[in-house]
Amino acid sequence: MTATEEKRADTEVQAAGESVQPKPEQPNPGQPATMTMTLIQAVNEGMRGELRRDPRVLVFGEDVGARGGVFLATAGLQAEFGERRVFDTPLSEGAIVGAAVGMAVRGLRPIAEIQFADYIGPGFDQLTSQAAKLRYRSGGQFTCPLVIRTPSGGGVKGGHHHSQSPEAYYCHTPGLKVVMPSTPYDALGLLRAAVRGEDPVMFFEPKRLYRAAKGEVPTADYVVELGRAAVRQQGSDISLIGYGGVMPDLQKAAEALAAEGVSAEVIDLRSLVPWDRETVMASAAKTGRVVLVSEAPRIGNFMGEVASSIQEEVFDSLLAPVLQVAGFDTPYPYVQDRIYLPGAGRILNAAVKVLNY
Amino acid sequence: MTATEEKRADTEVQAAGESVQPKPEQPNPGQPATMTMTLIQAVNEGMRGELRRDPRVLVFGEDVGARGGVFLATAGLQAEFGERRVFDTPLSEGAIVGAAVGMAVRGLRPIAEIQFADYIGPGFDQLTSQAAKLRYRSGGQFTCPLVIRTPSGGGVKGGHHHSQSPEAYYCHTPGLKVVMPSTPYDALGLLRAAVRGEDPVMFFEPKRLYRAAKGEVPTADYVVELGRAAVRQQGSDISLIGYGGVMPDLQKAAEALAAEGVSAEVIDLRSLVPWDRETVMASAAKTGRVVLVSEAPRIGNFMGEVASSIQEEVFDSLLAPVLQVAGFDTPYPYVQDRIYLPGAGRILNAAVKVLNY
Amino acid sequence: MLEAFPTQPFQVILEDGHLRPGATFDQTPAQLRELWQSMTLVREFDRKLVTLLRQGRTTFYAQASGMEATQIGIARGLRPGHDWVWGYYRDQGIALGLGLSLTDVVAQMVGSNNDLNKGRQMPHHSGSVASRFVSGSSSIASQVPPAVGMAMAQSYLGLDEVTVCTFGDGATSEGDWHAGINMAAVKNAPCLLICENNQWAISTPVERQTRSESIHIKAQAYGMPGYFVDGNDVLAVQQAVKELADGMRNGGGPALLECLTYRVGSHSNADADAEKNYRSREQVRGWTDRDPITRFEKFLALQGQEIGSQERADFVALIHRQIEGAVQQAESSGIPGWQSMLDDVYSDTPVHLRRSYEALRQEQSGQAMQVQEGA
Amino acid sequence: MLEAFPTQPFQVILEDGHLRPGATFDQTPAQLRELWQSMTLVREFDRKLVTLLRQGRTTFYAQASGMEATQIGIARGLRPGHDWVWGYYRDQGIALGLGLSLTDVVAQMVGSNNDLNKGRQMPHHSGSVASRFVSGSSSIASQVPPAVGMAMAQSYLGLDEVTVCTFGDGATSEGDWHAGINMAAVKNAPCLLICENNQWAISTPVERQTRSESIHIKAQAYGMPGYFVDGNDVLAVQQAVKELADGMRNGGGPALLECLTYRVGSHSNADADAEKNYRSREQVRGWTDRDPITRFEKFLALQGQEIGSQERADFVALIHRQIEGAVQQAESSGIPGWQSMLDDVYSDTPVHLRRSYEALRQEQSGQAMQVQEGA
Ligand SMILES: Cc1ncc(C[n+]2csc(CCOP(=O)(O)OP(=O)(O)O)c2C)c(N)n1
Ligand SMILES: Cc1ncc(C[n+]2csc(CCOP(=O)(O)OP(=O)(O)O)c2C)c(N)n1
Ligand SMILES: [Mg+2]
Ligand SMILES: [Mg+2]
């Protein structure tokens, strides 16, 4: 290629690039300061806002267009932004994840939906071989900022292919970031941070909280930085740490403990990779008693890393072993859906064990 | 179908089934009691023996036929058993794993090779959705006893797609059993147990030990039961626990400790799912000091589960935190291959930290 | 002899119920009536189960309505209990056609103690080893490579069985669909791969699933014959399946068969409200006008074997009674207890599951504390 | 105009070097010479690198010998630095053809400090953002869906770029190959999918990879045109690629292009000994007789532009000197240190990597104990 050609090529791309630059988020003076919404509304709002703000953002996946997604997370988006920006794909998770990688390399900001976390499997190689490693393997020459959104977790009596919590697979894949909000506030803030960030992010949405989790959300633009846990309740006697769908159970267990005069600190990790070691260690060091809660099968779940790290780091402060409450090491069952899930009772039991140690 | 048809159908299948029943292993009186072999020879022998013993056993994968596999693990098998029983497949891990599932349901005992553990990705959904769950989801009506053999781990300067240690993904998948031998004895014994068992087994072979690990192996038939660790060296001051390619480093660290008068117990897990809690807990309780070694990336690796379990179970016996020596949370590097891997020095350092705690 | 890669789907019965000129059939009048009964069973099963769902007695339902000729045609083209089927969630018609009892299928839908799968899967995942109908996975197209592997085993063992693998039009986009079919071709495995092309995958029409002119033409990518039948013509489907399966028994290789039909119900009850957003009532009506059961009834009438209105009413009433009986049987058999949750993960019970068992035993027997649950 | 689904591969130059009757070409004599030089560069790169490997100065090598016309034809059919290429490990010819310097490609093979990829991958994984040649993954066919996604982005952005995705014959069996191509067709993405059919995938011949009569016919499964060129004819490849790419620039959809060629070297140095177990020397010899560079030289001679033996010798010597220079440059630039191992995992450095950095810093600065390493 001659120098002139090179110049021309660059200019063309830049021109194309310019036409798709993000606009700064505009404050809207007429708006109230907060709005009440459910977790799924927050996800929907998050995508809508990013689609408005940044023409590089595209939303796609199976049935996300006219259908609005099987949970309606993308409802109304195609109507507002058209089929070029919000579209259905063929039924192939490999194609969906892989396409997101290629788009991101060419400067777009894809948000891809995988219909259920249980169906990432066919896209696993794209995630682990392409998305996770592109920046590293190219020495930073190529990057793929993208978001894979997917409903995960149990409690909807969906059997094992509509209930699994596979986040540990992706936490164990360096190069991917992994988050799981449990509140509308976090869902919106983390989604914005993920879309605006420069890395591939697995965005797990605890489906049983889609409508159950309701809350106030600022109307002004904000982000929730990846890697920061939320202390949901301060406490001094014991730390209950979880993320995703189990959070309401942690809160319930904390209330039951409060009724017995026990002051529990409740921490929502929100972000798994990276995870907030500082907040967790401070809490563990303070209370000396920790219960970790996750609904994923116990062996190899993400809390293994947290437990291992806590005892490595604040061993001397521990007054009792760090206990895990987790899913069972079985495929996710159907009829015993509720027995499988941790639940407040099981958390409370673990807490009592730790307290009486 | 009429009753007669049913009867006939059954008889046919039984007849076909009978013709492929395993023969009992015959002792060979002329043979010496043991033979020296490398780990890869043991794997090769294991397959040869099972192919001889049981006509239901088939061996297949990419380039396992005339080529004998890229590491020569299947060398000579096609020549001895023919193309019906030892054959090449198209380049598709999904097809390989999936075909193994279907064969196993119909009564065969497939041993499928995935050329490198880094390439299981395209077969991930077959493993997690089909192989792992078939028995459970069918209430035990359908089962798929199969073995997926694959070279794994680093140390061969192969870059990230010829060096990864992805076993934690499969340990976190209930329904799969997972093993990783580090000696020829275990490779042969575990392979036999895997082939003769009734469950899907992921059989990881630490490729850097393929020729480096040499040892005596009985010529008589034996198996190494899944779920039993091997205490490689008894000790009283500290427990060094690992599996796979890092085992020689554990031994080296133990020797260095011995030179300083420290008695280290060295444990090779061999089997990850199920893992030998009894042996591990007994050792941890005895020494009170534990170092866990794995070359997989730290976050979410299998040792997280072991660390979490140890402190849960023998908390009061622990004199120091359980430390992990692990791979880094990066894609497996190329030029820094040797820096990435744990190695005896890093293990020794951790041991000293634990001892001086 | 079925023709590969035809431009028009193979038909035996024309839309108006007449026998296609040149077409033949060899079913006895009793066999023809049985076909009608089986299709009607599938249709009424849908109706009844939708009612039960509304009553809260099941949790999920996906109709096969409109696809009865395809599913019964497949089942009747095979040797039940001899040939194997790896189907998918919408295959209740094949399951019933292969001889799973109403009790079996209903128990699976309820997840009750008498479910052959022990209540381990959501509705629509029947399986029966006696009927050689494999309990499926929800993961679309994941049945294809295993079905091919099974066919490879059959050929290795020298059995005269075939394996049928069914899937929807949407499934053809998945990587494993391709991986499996390619393997079948290369290994010449006696696997009959059948696409139940009902033209929709939830909200995605087949034209946006693939740009190929048809599904069966995809067989060319594998050097395999592709066949095309009218999936609303039960005799065409049965004949095609039988001819292809018998060819495989005699050493023939795999084939891809496309049955063109239509999903007249919603994707599932979860989709019923949303459906209006993606397809027109006119399109659906166009296909209800081409109802496979109505067409077969016209054919029977033209053959002098009309289904009388009393006969129909009696048969429908019988089915509903039987289903009601099956539901009651399922309900009264109870739901698998917590112990069952830990069984069948492996052939044995490894230590970690024994520990879980012990922990759950304590919890469930009330030795552990309880917290008030519920939203 | 290239014809879709031809029975014979498209040729411009016949085996004996004559222009095919009816064929045309528009290259200037200088451009023709450049093609010869580029192909010769690729050939000599193989020779020299094999030598370096024997000398222990690299660790792994996979020859493209025999495939030079395909790879240079592809590169010369594109607008380098403008169009994008997602290639695979054997594409050193495309990399060099697109303008990666010998220094770049050699540095990647060595994993030295001047490697654009920072020594992060084994040899054969070059990448250069300036040349729009994407650093690849070893995972076969995994480049296909990303390449398609990139083409979707280009069409969304209204750019007149195309994305070329190359892969081997073996790659066509992978699920992601299918998933990606199907997506390209449905989305009408300007992606040119090129199979470098060298007839072997390690020890597996293409006939046991697929039973389809060719690779390009697989395009029918996607409703996409399939083209077929003689991959040992550099003018044919260049013309085909240019015509197809230009068609895509003007709004055309994707296409599958098969270049029929042959891998005359072993799969890689790791395969050199084993090769005799799976393919005959006769087969290899049959194809060395059809050498693409020799054919092009005959063509040049017939066009009155013969490559003189002195010219050839000088050019070869020049290349070897340049490669030697590149190797020395790589070697003297050193190897990335331990710090680099922890960079570029993310755009930022999360706490766990900061901790690793600190731990390694201590260890590498000798603050940690050392154990004697080595077998
Ligand atoms: C791997 C995977 N991805 C997504 C889904 C979610 N899903 C369930 S049914 C369906 C549509 C399937 O359509 P088709 O194959 O045509 O079958 P049909 O429902 O029309 O009978 C989808 C996307 C799934 N079950 N598995
Ligand atoms: C997913 C995956 N499986 C297996 C391999 C191992 N492998 C490396 S090259 C190769 C053969 C590839 O053949 P082909 O695609 O024809 O390319 P060629 O080497 O002939 O250029 C295989 C099986 C791999 N790299 N990736
Ligand atoms: Mg469909
Ligand atoms: Mg090849």
Side-chain angles (χ1 to χ4, degrees):
Chain A
M1 181 161 75
T2 65
T4 346
E5 274 174 341
E6 214 159 60
K7 187 89 209 1
R8 185 163 49 89
D10 274 3
T11 324
E12 266 173 51
V13 177
Q14 274 207 320
E18 262 158 39
S19 74
V20 293
Q21 282 312 300
K23 316 183 259 254
E25 183 79 19
Q26 295 301 328
N28 184 338
Q31 260 178 359
T34 66
M35 273 176 70
T36 310
M37 50 176 87
T38 61
L39 198 152
I40 196 165
Q41 283 169 336
V43 169
N44 183 269
E45 267 309 302
M47 285 187 275
R48 178 172 290 109
E50 293 309 293
L51 280 160
R52 280 194 190 142
R53 195 184 57 82
D54 187 346
R56 300 172 307 171
V57 173
L58 302 185
V59 169
F60 54 93
E62 293 156 15
D63 309 298
V64 302
R67 174 71 175 81
V70 297
F71 286 100
L72 301 179
T74 56
L77 300 182
Q78 188 176 71
E80 181 170 346
F81 301 98
E83 295 195 26
R84 285 182 66 234
R85 299 191 61 202
V86 179
F87 54 88
D88 294 333
T89 64
L91 208 175
S92 165
E93 292 73 16
I96 293 169
V97 176
V101 170
M103 288 176 188
V105 174
R106 196 61 198 89
L108 302 185
R109 296 283 163 148
I111 306 177
E113 173 174 303
I114 299 294
Q115 204 162 80
F116 285 87
D118 315 77
Y119 300 133
I120 308 176
F124 188 80
D125 196 49
Q126 286 299 320
L127 280 170
T128 55
S129 293
Q130 290 289 354
K133 296 185 174 70
L134 180 61
R135 175 187 290 270
Y136 193 79
R137 75 172 185 246
S138 68
Q141 292 187 88
F142 301 93
T143 64
C144 56
L146 58 88
V147 180
I148 307 289
R149 283 185 44 247
T150 189
S152 79
V156 300
K157 231 189 160 192
H160 51 239
H161 270 97
H162 302 86
S163 308
Q164 293 172 101
S165 295
E167 62 276 5
Y169 296 141
Y170 308 101
C171 294
H172 189 53
T173 304
L176 300 180
K177 291 185 174 176
V178 182
V179 302
M180 191 175 325
S182 81
T183 67
Y185 180 93
D186 286 352
L188 185 51
L190 284 169
L191 187 57
R192 286 188 185 130
V195 173
R196 299 175 193 179
E198 300 297 328
D199 299 302
V201 179
M202 300 296 295
F203 194 91
F204 289 98
E205 301 166 4
K207 67 175 87 67
R208 73 172 172 282
L209 300 186
Y210 263 156
R211 289 173 176 83
K214 253 202 184 118
E216 288 298 291
V217 170
T219 50
D221 191 48
Y222 69 95
V223 298
V224 173
E225 201 191 326
L226 272 61
R228 296 264 154 269
V231 179
R232 297 289 176 212
Q233 175 178 311
Q234 305 252 359
S236 51
D237 298 332
I238 187 168
S239 308
L240 308 181
I241 305 177
Y243 61 86
V246 298
M247 286 314 300
D249 300 308
L250 270 75
Q251 305 265 25
K252 246 182 272 169
E255 283 160 29
L257 287 169
E260 304 291 323
V262 175
S263 159
E265 183 142 302
V266 178
I267 296 178
D268 182 349
L269 290 179
R270 305 193 287 202
S271 178
L272 307 186
V273 177
W275 63 283
D276 189 344
R277 299 179 69 97
E278 205 180 314
T279 300
V280 167
M281 295 309 165
S283 182
K286 175 172 66 174
T287 63
R289 305 185 192 270
V290 183
V291 174
L292 303 173
V293 190
S294 146
E295 66 185 272
R298 163 67 195 254
I299 296 182
N301 76 18
F302 180 72
M303 287 305 191
E305 163 66 7
V306 179
S308 180
S309 298
I310 290 176
Q311 62 85 38
E312 266 180 23
E313 217 155 312
V314 298
F315 187 73
D316 290 339
S317 311
L318 290 181
L319 304 168
V322 176
L323 289 196
Q324 278 197 53
V325 179
F328 291 89
D329 292 306
T330 70
Y332 197 99
Y334 173 62
V335 293
Q336 302 96 346
D337 184 81
R338 286 278 156 192
I339 299 177
Y340 184 89
L341 286 176
R346 223 168 268 157
I347 298 169
L348 187 60
N349 263 300
V352 170
K353 257 200 207 157
V354 167
L355 288 163
N356 293 344
Y357 193 82
Chain B
M1 182 160 74
T2 64
T4 347
E5 275 174 343
E6 216 160 59
K7 187 88 208 10
R8 185 164 49 87
D10 274 4
T11 325
E12 266 173 49
V13 177
Q14 274 211 319
E18 263 159 37
S19 73
V20 292
Q21 282 311 302
K23 317 183 259 250
E25 183 79 17
Q26 293 301 327
N28 182 340
Q31 260 176 357
T34 67
M35 274 176 69
T36 311
M37 51 176 86
T38 60
L39 197 152
I40 196 165
Q41 284 171 335
V43 169
N44 184 269
E45 267 309 301
M47 284 187 274
R48 179 172 288 109
E50 294 308 292
L51 281 159
R52 280 194 190 141
R53 195 185 56 82
D54 187 347
R56 298 172 309 173
V57 173
L58 303 185
V59 169
F60 54 93
E62 293 157 14
D63 309 296
V64 302
R67 173 72 175 81
V70 296
F71 287 99
L72 300 179
T74 56
L77 299 183
Q78 188 176 71
E80 182 170 345
F81 301 99
E83 296 193 26
R84 285 183 65 236
R85 299 193 60 202
V86 179
F87 55 88
D88 293 333
T89 63
L91 207 174
S92 165
E93 292 72 17
I96 293 168
V97 176
V101 170
M103 289 176 187
V105 174
R106 197 62 200 88
L108 301 185
R109 294 284 164 148
I111 305 178
E113 174 174 302
I114 298 294
Q115 205 162 79
F116 285 86
D118 316 77
Y119 299 133
I120 307 176
F124 188 80
D125 195 50
Q126 286 298 319
L127 280 170
T128 54
S129 293
Q130 289 290 352
K133 296 185 174 70
L134 180 60
R135 177 187 289 271
Y136 193 78
R137 76 172 185 246
S138 69
Q141 291 187 88
F142 301 94
T143 64
C144 56
L146 57 87
V147 180
I148 308 289
R149 284 185 43 246
T150 189
S152 78
V156 299
K157 230 189 162 194
H160 52 238
H161 269 96
H162 302 86
S163 307
Q164 292 170 100
S165 295
E167 62 276 4
Y169 296 143
Y170 308 100
C171 293
H172 189 53
T173 305
L176 300 179
K177 291 184 173 175
V178 182
V179 302
M180 191 176 320
S182 80
T183 67
Y185 180 94
D186 286 351
L188 186 51
L190 284 170
L191 187 57
R192 287 187 184 130
V195 174
R196 299 175 194 179
E198 300 296 329
D199 298 303
V201 179
M202 300 297 294
F203 194 91
F204 289 97
E205 300 167 3
K207 68 175 85 70
R208 73 173 173 282
L209 300 186
Y210 263 156
R211 288 172 177 85
K214 251 201 187 123
E216 289 296 292
V217 169
T219 51
D221 191 49
Y222 69 95
V223 298
V224 173
E225 202 191 324
L226 272 61
R228 296 264 155 269
V231 180
R232 297 289 177 212
Q233 176 179 310
Q234 305 252 1
S236 51
D237 297 332
I238 187 169
S239 307
L240 307 180
I241 305 177
Y243 61 86
V246 298
M247 286 313 301
D249 300 308
L250 270 76
Q251 306 265 24
K252 246 183 273 168
E255 283 160 28
L257 287 169
E260 304 292 323
V262 175
S263 160
E265 182 141 302
V266 178
I267 296 179
D268 182 350
L269 289 179
R270 302 194 287 201
S271 179
L272 307 187
V273 176
W275 63 283
D276 190 343
R277 299 179 69 98
E278 205 180 313
T279 300
V280 168
M281 295 309 166
S283 181
K286 175 171 66 174
T287 64
R289 303 184 193 272
V290 183
V291 174
L292 303 174
V293 190
S294 146
E295 66 186 270
R298 163 66 194 255
I299 297 182
N301 77 17
F302 180 72
M303 286 307 190
E305 163 65 9
V306 178
S308 180
S309 298
I310 290 176
Q311 61 85 37
E312 265 179 24
E313 217 155 314
V314 297
F315 187 74
D316 290 339
S317 312
L318 290 180
L319 304 169
V322 176
L323 289 196
Q324 278 197 53
V325 179
F328 291 90
D329 292 306
T330 71
Y332 197 99
Y334 173 62
V335 294
Q336 302 96 345
D337 183 82
R338 285 280 157 193
I339 298 177
Y340 184 88
L341 286 176
R346 221 168 271 157
I347 298 168
L348 188 59
N349 265 300
V352 169
K353 256 200 209 157
V354 167
L355 287 163
N356 293 343
Y357 193 83
Chain C
M1 275 285 293
L2 218 51
E3 182 202 344
F5 306 115
T7 44
Q8 291 301 315
F10 173 66
Q11 283 186 324
V12 172
I13 307 174
L14 300 176
E15 296 272 353
D16 62 5
H18 283 90
L19 195 66
R20 176 179 56 79
T24 56
F25 64 96
D26 58 7
Q27 285 86 346
T28 61
Q31 285 172 327
L32 291 176
R33 242 169 175 66
E34 195 282 333
L35 287 173
W36 175 82
Q37 290 183 340
S38 290
M39 289 199 287
T40 303
L41 170 66
V42 178
R43 173 71 49 90
E44 297 304 322
F45 191 84
D46 269 10
R47 292 223 169 95
K48 181 73 182 167
L49 268 281
V50 168
T51 308
L52 290 168
L53 184 85
R54 293 216 182 92
Q55 296 168 351
R57 292 160 86 189
T58 59
T59 57
F60 177 81
Y61 196 73
Q63 292 166 255
S65 287
M67 300 164 66
E68 293 89 348
T70 291
Q71 298 195 353
I72 292 303
I74 291 170
R76 288 293 164 270
L78 297 176
R79 291 167 57 181
H82 180 70
D83 296 326
W84 290 73
V85 176
W86 288 77
Y88 78 113
Y89 52 85
R90 204 181 296 283
D91 277 339
Q92 58 265 34
I94 299 186
L96 291 166
L98 285 179
L100 274 86
S101 66
L102 279 172
T103 312
D104 292 340
V105 180
V106 164
Q108 199 285 320
M109 295 272 175
V110 173
S112 50
N113 262 324
N114 64 338
D115 171 17
L116 296 169
N117 287 341
K118 301 189 187 167
R120 295 266 172 65
Q121 292 226 69
M122 67 182 293
H124 284 274
H125 291 77
S126 278
S128 156
V129 73
S131 297
R132 300 193 164 186
F133 183 75
V134 183
S135 309
S137 166
S138 313
S139 181
I140 300 274
S142 72
Q143 70 275 27
V144 180
V148 171
M150 179 174 272
M152 289 166 74
Q154 288 161 335
S155 122
Y156 174 77
L157 293 168
L159 304 170
D160 72 343
E161 304 162 10
V162 304
T163 297
V164 163
C165 180
T166 62
F167 43 82
D169 42 304
T172 64
S173 295
E174 284 285 3
D176 272 354
W177 183 85
H178 170 78
I181 296 195
N182 184 55
M183 178 87 125
V186 169
K187 295 298 170 189
N188 208 36
C191 190
L192 177 53
L193 300 141
I194 306 182
C195 181
E196 303 182 33
N197 181 0
N198 63 12
Q199 307 187 50
W200 287 92
I202 308 186
S203 70
T204 309
V206 67
E207 314 87 67
R208 282 192 281 132
Q209 197 64 248
T210 177
R211 265 179 75 172
S212 70
E213 43 187 85
S214 66
I215 299 294
H216 67 278
I217 199 176
K218 291 175 185 280
Q220 298 213 344
Y222 309 100
M224 180 189 288
Y227 300 99
F228 189 25
V229 301
D230 182 334
N232 281 9
D233 175 348
V234 67
L235 293 189
V237 177
Q238 181 179 9
Q239 275 184 33
V241 170
K242 187 167 177 350
E243 179 181 324
L244 296 173
D246 287 346
M248 289 178 199
R249 279 181 227 294
N250 299 314
L256 175 62
L257 172 65
E258 173 182 3
C259 301
L260 185 69
T261 179
Y262 190 81
R263 187 197 88 207
V264 299
S266 20
H267 171 73
S268 75
N269 58 293
D271 204 45
D273 290 339
E275 206 186 328
K276 62 178 183 319
N277 296 325
Y278 63 80
R279 66 175 186 179
S280 67
R281 290 322 295 166
E282 288 69 55
Q283 190 192 60
V284 178
R285 223 170 293 123
W287 281 91
T288 46
D289 288 351
R290 300 166 70 178
D291 189 276
I293 300 182
T294 311
R295 192 198 305 189
F296 194 59
E297 288 175 351
K298 285 188 199 150
F299 166 78
L300 289 177
L302 288 163
Q303 298 291 321
Q305 302 175 37
E306 192 164 359
I307 309 286
S309 58
Q310 188 58 43
E311 178 182 357
R312 177 184 295 110
D314 287 350
F315 185 69
V316 167
L318 173 71
I319 290 169
H320 283 252
R321 270 200 314 279
Q322 286 178 347
I323 297 174
E324 184 58 40
V327 175
Q328 281 173 14
Q329 202 180 325
E331 287 173 349
S332 66
S333 87
I335 297 294
W338 63 266
Q339 298 93 334
S340 168
M341 183 177 86
L342 298 167
D343 293 341
D344 298 317
V345 181
Y346 301 102
S347 60
D348 54 2
T349 310
V351 55
H352 62 279
L353 289 174
R354 286 202 300 276
R355 290 163 55 93
S356 294
Y357 189 93
E358 185 47 33
L360 258 186
R361 197 188 55 71
Q362 283 184 23
E363 178 185 290
Q364 296 291 318
S365 65
Q367 291 172 37
M369 253 170 306
Q370 301 294 327
V371 175
Q372 194 54 42
E373 296 280 351
Chain D
M1 275 286 290
L2 217 51
E3 181 201 347
F5 306 114
T7 46
Q8 291 300 316
F10 172 66
Q11 284 186 324
V12 172
I13 308 173
L14 300 176
E15 296 272 352
D16 62 7
H18 282 91
L19 195 66
R20 177 179 55 79
T24 57
F25 63 98
D26 58 8
Q27 285 86 348
T28 63
Q31 285 172 328
L32 292 175
R33 236 160 183 73
E34 195 281 332
L35 287 173
W36 175 83
Q37 290 181 341
S38 289
M39 289 199 287
T40 303
L41 170 66
V42 178
R43 175 70 50 90
E44 296 306 320
F45 191 83
D46 269 10
R47 291 223 170 94
K48 180 73 182 167
L49 268 281
V50 168
T51 309
L52 290 169
L53 185 85
R54 292 214 183 93
Q55 296 168 351
R57 292 161 84 189
T58 58
T59 58
F60 177 81
Y61 196 73
Q63 293 165 254
S65 287
M67 300 163 67
E68 294 89 348
T70 292
Q71 297 193 355
I72 292 303
I74 291 170
R76 288 294 163 271
L78 296 176
R79 291 166 57 180
H82 180 71
D83 295 326
W84 291 74
V85 176
W86 287 78
Y88 78 113
Y89 52 84
R90 204 182 296 282
D91 277 338
Q92 59 264 31
I94 298 185
L96 291 166
L98 285 180
L100 275 86
S101 67
L102 279 171
T103 313
D104 292 340
V105 180
V106 165
Q108 199 284 321
M109 295 272 176
V110 173
S112 50
N113 262 325
N114 63 338
D115 172 16
L116 297 169
N117 287 340
K118 302 189 188 167
R120 295 267 171 66
Q121 290 227 68
M122 66 182 293
H124 285 273
H125 291 77
S126 279
S128 154
V129 73
S131 296
R132 301 194 164 186
F133 183 75
V134 183
S135 309
S137 166
S138 312
S139 183
I140 301 274
S142 71
Q143 69 275 29
V144 181
V148 171
M150 179 175 271
M152 289 165 73
Q154 289 160 336
S155 121
Y156 173 76
L157 293 168
L159 304 170
D160 73 342
E161 306 161 9
V162 305
T163 297
V164 164
C165 180
T166 63
F167 43 82
D169 42 304
T172 63
S173 295
E174 284 287 2
D176 272 354
W177 183 84
H178 169 77
I181 296 196
N182 185 56
M183 178 87 125
V186 168
K187 295 297 170 190
N188 208 36
C191 190
L192 177 54
L193 300 141
I194 306 184
C195 182
E196 302 183 34
N197 182 0
N198 64 11
Q199 307 187 49
W200 288 92
I202 308 186
S203 69
T204 308
V206 66
E207 315 87 67
R208 282 191 280 130
Q209 197 65 247
T210 176
R211 265 179 75 172
S212 70
E213 43 187 83
S214 67
I215 300 294
H216 66 278
I217 200 176
K218 291 175 186 281
Q220 298 213 343
Y222 309 100
M224 180 189 288
Y227 299 99
F228 188 26
V229 302
D230 182 334
N232 281 9
D233 176 347
V234 67
L235 295 188
V237 176
Q238 181 180 9
Q239 275 184 33
V241 169
K242 187 166 177 349
E243 179 179 325
L244 296 175
D246 287 344
M248 288 177 200
R249 277 180 229 294
N250 299 313
L256 177 62
L257 171 65
E258 173 181 2
C259 301
L260 186 69
T261 179
Y262 191 81
R263 188 195 88 208
V264 301
S266 20
H267 171 74
S268 75
N269 59 294
D271 204 46
D273 290 340
E275 205 186 331
K276 63 179 182 318
N277 296 324
Y278 64 79
R279 67 175 186 177
S280 69
R281 291 320 299 166
E282 288 70 55
Q283 190 193 59
V284 179
R285 222 169 294 123
W287 280 92
T288 45
D289 289 351
R290 300 168 69 180
D291 190 277
I293 300 182
T294 312
R295 193 198 306 187
F296 194 60
E297 288 174 352
K298 284 186 200 153
F299 166 79
L300 288 177
L302 286 163
Q303 299 291 322
Q305 302 175 36
E306 191 163 1
I307 308 285
S309 58
Q310 188 57 45
E311 178 183 357
R312 178 184 294 110
D314 288 349
F315 185 69
V316 167
L318 173 71
I319 291 169
H320 283 252
R321 271 201 313 281
Q322 286 177 345
I323 298 175
E324 185 57 41
V327 175
Q328 282 172 13
Q329 200 180 329
E331 287 173 349
S332 66
S333 87
I335 297 293
W338 62 267
Q339 298 92 333
S340 168
M341 183 178 85
L342 298 168
D343 294 340
D344 297 318
V345 182
Y346 302 101
S347 59
D348 55 1
T349 310
V351 54
H352 62 278
L353 289 173
R354 287 202 300 276
R355 289 162 57 92
S356 294
Y357 189 94
E358 185 47 33
L360 257 185
R361 198 188 55 70
Q362 283 185 23
E363 179 187 289
Q364 296 289 320
S365 65
Q367 292 171 35
M369 251 170 308
Q370 301 293 329
V371 174
Q372 193 55 43
E373 295 282 350

